[in-house]
Amino acid sequence: LREPRSPIGPMPAAALRLPSNIHYVAGIDVQRFAESPLYSRFASSLSFAPEALKNLQAETGLDVRRDLTHVLFAGESPRNAMTSIVVLVLRPGHALERWLVKQDLRRYEHQGRRIYILAAKPVPRVAALLADDTVVLGMPDQVEHAVAERARSATPLRENEALTALVGGLSADAPLWLAYQVTATSPTEGLSPELARAIAGVTAVTITGELQPALRLHFTATTDTPAAARQLAAAISEIGTLALYAAQQNPALLQLVRSVSTTQQEQHVLLDATIPYALLDGLAAANVAAARPPS
């Protein structure tokens, strides 16, 4: 069995141990994220806030900054966290398995791997090491499937050529990223018929984020035809016009809306936004002020 050695775009090589039939994978470069202005300013409201990190450390014995290189998310759709798995890519020298063995955790064997039961209620959660540097967490059936795929192949995700090609097209140094081969129908309740038709034509979505010196987000939607891309770009432009009108009384929000640009290239719609952290500070302050009860 050939072990993964080379990353694909921003995705670490360890991610090739993921199941072949996932439709999306997303990642965070932990060290760069933790050192970014985004984390230092808004840690209390982010999913990787100190409290969440404490919970992860309590659950796995890992020190996030010391022991992790990446956190990955993968599954059927990024819209459904319940069907996703979390993958921790570990630095050499971590003591996760020794820590797990010392805990009073129930465990069982599956396909030659030991699976640890982290929680039974309200949602069952288990963990398993796919390799010395790769641990997967999720619901039992998801983790068992990942273990079975790993037993079948050293690099099962390499078989998913469409998704790995999508990841390979992303910037290799992106600290935040997502690649999604769209297979499920997106919900269209409350959308205009034009926007619903435009969304229905989307076949793939990618997102990358840069964290310094400003927050830069790059979103690409790929459609099945250039006509569908034109329709989607027109729908996004219409939303932008409405947002400009709605933001007239809020200078910070108006600047945020104006930071977004949309272009079409054949079957692709590109949306880019560059958001200075000072602007995010202003929006956060405005939200705090709006939440205060009138005196």
Side-chain angles (χ1 to χ4, degrees), residues 2 77 120 131 171 255 283:
R2 184 161 57 93
S77 167
S171 172
Q255 186 182 349
L283 289 170

Side-chain angles (χ1 to χ4, degrees), residues 264-293:
Q264 180 205 347
Q265 297 176 359
E266 297 295 331
Q267 293 175 232
H268 309 287
V269 177
L270 285 64
L271 188 150
D272 294 283
T274 299
I275 309 168
Y277 285 107
L279 174 57
L280 291 178
D281 291 340
L283 289 170
N287 288 337
V288 170
R292 288 186 186 133

Side-chain angles (χ1 to χ4, degrees), residues 208-232:
T208 58
E210 302 169 31
L211 301 175
Q212 302 205 45
L215 177 61
R216 294 191 176 99
L217 299 174
H218 311 282
F219 171 99
T220 300
T222 301
T223 60
D224 47 11
T225 64
R230 285 193 296 273
Q231 191 173 42
L232 180 60

Side-chain angles (χ1 to χ4, degrees), residues 4-93:
R5 296 188 181 277
S6 300
I8 297 177
M11 184 175 73
L16 290 170
R17 299 187 178 103
L18 291 172
S20 60
N21 62 342
I22 60 174
H23 295 295
Y24 93 92
V25 60
I28 299 172
D29 183 315
V30 171
Q31 192 64 39
R32 292 171 64 193
F33 181 64
E35 294 172 351
S36 72
L38 180 66
Y39 182 84
S40 61
R41 278 173 162 84
F42 304 104
S44 62
S45 59
L46 295 168
S47 60
F48 267 73
E51 190 62 35
L53 296 181
K54 288 178 186 175
N55 292 340
L56 180 63
Q57 184 167 349
E59 192 174 68
T60 63
L62 294 170
D63 181 294
V64 173
R65 294 194 185 212
R66 183 195 66 210
D67 294 326
L68 297 186
T69 66
H70 295 80
V71 176
L72 308 173
F73 307 89
E76 180 70 23
S77 167
R79 298 192 304 267
N80 191 346
M82 292 299 292
T83 61
S84 298
I85 54 176
V86 179
V87 180
L88 309 178
V89 183
L90 308 173
R91 297 183 189 279

